[in-house]
Amino acid sequence: LLDRTMLGYLTSDMSQVGNYEQSQKIIKLSYTLITSLGTVMTPRIASVLASNDNKKVEEYLAKSINFVFFLGIPLTLGVMSVSKTLVPWFLGDEFSLSVYILMAGALLIIAKGFTDVAGVQYLIPSRNQAIFTKSVVTGAILNVILNFILIPICGAIGAIIASVIAEVAIAIVQYYYVKKQINIHVFTKAYIKYIISGVLMFAVVYIMGIFMPPTILTTMLQICVGGIIYIGSLLLMKDEFLWERLNKILKALKIKKA
């Protein structure tokens, strides 16, 4: 909320505010897919915290972090790669600045995913609201300072950069305290597979956008091709997280048929 207010106050070009507002709507829609996991996991984690089962808490959080990597990387790189073909037909040619705001702001998707796991899924259920508040206040202060510095120079681009840095700062503060309380192995070799698949997907989808017209058909084709490449490469690399999800779906379908 501070971004829009400060952007309108610090710049005389109101089109900057419009571009920023529309870009944020697309970004929020994307990271809602990840943060919705908190609605499911928070009650479970609260339940095992009440029984002091730290191993189960670690297991749940590890799965949540894995989910953030699994879905956050393709969403982040996907928004970046389709922005040039999406904006012209979805928002209009007058919102050309939104392309670059989307490309920078897409990093908020995965950053929000991590703060959702550490903050909403762990800190609040474990009654560490003070730490949660401290992290948010830190991000808010940093955001205001960076807005004063970057908006007069870069306009809406500066505002989105400030938001990304602030959200990353919130994640860093939260994980600093979470790691003191429980043992979470955040980075493992498994996540390298998501990065490799995501980068491969990004390269193909972005190149498609260069040689194809900015239409709804192009964007839909990019999304389909990107999804096939990402899932296909993970299947080839035998990603355990993906195979577990697929096996559960197949079992559920068999039960329904029976």
Side-chain angles (χ1 to χ4, degrees), residues 11-222:
T11 181
S12 57
D13 184 2
M14 287 298 103
S15 67
Q16 297 269 342
V17 180
N19 276 272
Y20 187 85
E21 178 74 22
Q22 295 303 320
S23 302
Q24 279 283 36
K25 288 179 181 178
I26 297 172
I27 294 168
K28 284 182 179 179
L29 179 64
S30 300
Y31 68 64
T32 298
L33 294 172
I34 300 178
T35 56
S36 61
L37 177 69
T39 307
V40 179
M41 295 302 296
T42 302
R44 294 184 181 183
I45 293 173
S47 177
V48 293
L49 279 169
S51 60
N52 295 318
D53 190 349
N54 287 334
K55 286 186 178 180
K56 199 67 177 178
V57 172
E58 291 173 12
E59 181 185 331
Y60 280 148
L61 290 178
K63 286 182 179 180
S64 292
I65 292 170
N66 207 325
F67 179 81
V68 170
F69 271 106
F70 172 75
L71 193 59
I73 288 175
L75 280 174
T76 298
L77 295 177
V79 170
M80 288 181 177
S81 60
V82 304
S83 58
K84 285 188 177 181
T85 60
L86 172 68
V87 168
W89 69 263
F90 189 69
L91 298 178
D93 293 331
E94 65 271 23
F95 288 94
S96 58
L97 181 62
S98 295
V99 172
Y100 306 101
I101 300 173
L102 274 176
M103 294 187 76
L107 292 170
L108 279 171
I109 298 170
I110 194 164
K112 284 278 188 183
F114 284 119
T115 55
D116 180 73
V117 174
V120 177
Q121 294 184 36
Y122 179 75
L123 290 177
I124 292 177
S126 62
R127 299 181 181 180
N128 284 294
Q129 288 92 338
I131 296 173
F132 179 81
T133 303
K134 185 185 292 185
S135 69
V136 175
V137 171
T138 299
I141 293 171
L142 183 60
N143 194 18
V144 171
I145 294 171
L146 289 174
N147 278 337
F148 273 117
I149 296 171
L150 296 175
I151 289 176
I153 301 171
C154 310
I157 300 294
I160 199 66
I161 291 172
S163 289
V164 171
I165 294 173
E167 195 67 35
V168 171
I170 292 171
I172 291 171
V173 172
Q174 289 181 354
Y175 278 93
Y176 173 77
Y177 286 103
V178 169
K179 285 183 179 181
K180 284 185 173 183
Q181 299 183 25
I182 59 174
N183 182 27
I184 305 178
H185 300 288
V186 180
F187 299 105
T188 67
K189 292 180 181 179
Y191 304 136
I192 295 174
K193 295 177 183 178
Y194 303 137
I195 295 172
I196 293 171
S197 299
V199 170
L200 179 62
M201 176 202 73
F202 173 84
V204 174
V205 172
Y206 188 80
I207 291 171
M208 287 176 64
I210 294 175
F211 294 100
M212 298 179 73
T215 64
I216 185 172
L217 290 176
T218 298
T219 303
M220 294 302 294
L221 183 61
Q222 284 177 296

